[in-house]
């Protein structure tokens, strides 16, 4: 999941440089949500792994 977020971040940066602001914003939004989901799942996994 984190790999997909990084790929979308790179896509957003390339689109921003090329002038496609709409695609860049959309890719950045998806990447941000994927990172948030990844962090939440990592925290849950960390706490349930200790039991």
């Amino acid at each position: 999941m984190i790999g997909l977020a990084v790929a979308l971040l790179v896509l957003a940066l390339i689109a921003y440089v090329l002038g496609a602001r709409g695609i860049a914003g959309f890719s950045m939004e998806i990447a941000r949500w994927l990172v948030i989901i990844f962090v939440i799942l990592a925290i849950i996994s960390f706490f349930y792994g200790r039991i």
Side-chain angles (χ1 to χ4, degrees):
M1 187 179 309
I2 198 73
L4 183 59
V6 171
L8 284 169
L9 178 64
V10 170
L11 175 69
L13 291 174
I14 291 171
Y16 182 79
V17 168
L18 294 176
R21 308 270 193 249
I23 295 172
F26 186 67
S27 296
M28 193 63 112
E29 189 70 26
I30 293 173
R32 184 171 60 113
W33 279 107
L34 286 175
V35 168
I36 291 170
I37 292 170
F38 172 78
V39 169
I40 290 171
L41 290 176
I43 290 170
I44 290 171
S45 175
F46 177 74
F47 285 123
Y48 280 118
R50 297 279 182 174
I51 296 176

